[in-house]
Amino acid sequence: MEQNSTEGPPTAPRPLGTRLDGVTDLAAAVRAVREHPGPVEIPAGPGQLAGRHLGTVPQHRVGEALREAGADPLILRADISIDEDMPDEGVIAVLDDQLSLAAGVGAEYLVVPRAGVSGRGRSEDRLFSMLAALAEAASAHKVHLLLETEGATADEVALVEFLERSRREGTLDVDPHYLASVAWNVGASSGAGEGPAAAFERMRPLLDRAPLIVCGLDEEMVEELFAAVPELRAAAEASRILVVLGRSGTAGA
């Protein structure tokens, strides 16, 4: 039978990762990663595997053990939102601390949740200034900053695109390798009444710059998502999106 020599073997889908929520024991975390190798998200904070309670050496050991078990890449999720009800300087200080934690465990990404700007008293200009400072700090730590997006809003994508324009114009000191992107909480987005095709359409321009994290869904939802937006399956195979299993319902959950 004649074969087309220009066609290579099919690309293996990237494994679906997992979210280690509430896992405090390293041995249990390693077992969970071995069951779901691929992208692994660790929520930071009290009652979690990673937090301020870890010294520098334990941070390194945790990251090393998870990577050896199959965590690729390792993702840290901050335990406060960018619009937390506290002074701007306090939010930046806590998130900068968590960037240090991400670097300490060898995480490639820090996901920063949104809690919604309603009643927070922060204008988009203030949010951009905060994100700009965090983006520069993330680049210095060699960590990708990811702003979580949920609900039918384009605000997060617009903020990330504004960061990239500022970098190109030379007003933001960020290494091009560590461009900011978004973490798409599919469960929360769908719960807000937004269809996956519409949500992905506004995020598509980011794919050419940095990967998207897709979270807030289980295996059944992944298949439904790929069926609704076939382009996402190809993007997953090319590692342009990184799927993390775990039904985290809302930002800050």
Side-chain angles (χ1 to χ4, degrees):
M1 180 182 295
E2 189 173 321
Q3 295 182 343
N4 187 344
S5 60
T6 62
E7 293 183 2
T11 303
R14 187 178 184 99
L16 303 179
T18 191
R19 184 173 191 257
L20 301 179
D21 191 13
V23 179
T24 58
D25 180 69
L26 182 56
V30 166
R31 288 194 297 272
V33 172
R34 284 176 177 160
E35 291 174 4
H36 290 282
V40 172
E41 181 187 270
I42 312 172
Q48 302 291 354
L49 186 64
R52 296 184 184 183
H53 60 282
L54 286 179
T56 302
V57 173
Q59 287 176 18
H60 177 74
R61 287 175 179 163
V62 165
E64 188 175 62
L66 295 179
R67 285 191 297 275
E68 287 178 355
D72 179 30
L74 197 55
I75 303 157
L76 189 74
R77 188 175 192 272
D79 64 349
I80 70 166
S81 69
I82 190 66
D83 18 50
E84 196 77 24
D85 194 8
M86 60 191 293
D88 296 4
E89 296 78 8
V91 173
I92 291 173
V94 174
L95 290 175
D96 188 54
D97 209 31
Q98 299 202 340
L99 279 169
S100 297
L101 176 61
V105 299
E108 295 181 41
Y109 301 90
L110 177 71
V111 174
V112 177
R114 292 296 305 271
V117 296
S118 176
R120 302 292 179 176
R122 287 191 176 99
S123 66
E124 290 299 296
D125 286 344
R126 283 176 65 191
L127 281 172
F128 171 73
S129 295
M130 294 169 70
L131 279 172
L134 289 169
E136 291 186 334
S139 178
H141 283 295
K142 302 189 186 309
V143 173
H144 293 271
L145 184 70
L146 295 162
L147 187 60
E148 185 172 86
T149 180
E150 60 171 56
T153 172
D155 290 349
E156 294 83 2
V157 176
L159 285 166
V160 168
E161 289 175 335
F162 197 4
L163 289 176
E164 171 56 5
R165 285 198 300 275
S166 298
R167 185 199 67 80
R168 290 198 308 265
E169 292 166 1
T171 58
L172 197 63
D173 185 15
V174 174
D175 186 322
H177 181 70
Y178 295 101
L179 298 177
S181 189
V182 298
W184 175 17
N185 190 317
V186 177
S189 179
S190 298
E194 182 176 47
F200 177 65
E201 185 62 32
R202 74 167 191 268
M203 288 182 271
R204 180 186 278 111
L206 301 181
L207 282 181
D208 292 334
R209 298 204 293 269
L212 305 177
I213 303 291
V214 177
C215 58
L217 71 178
D218 55 25
E219 291 189 53
E220 183 178 349
M221 288 180 69
V222 172
E223 288 307 313
E224 292 173 356
L225 181 65
F226 286 165
V229 191
E231 185 179 348
L232 277 173
R233 189 184 298 275
E237 291 171 352
S239 297
R240 302 309 298 161
I241 68 166
L242 306 173
V243 180
V244 177
L245 298 178
R247 297 294 297 276
S248 52
T250 60

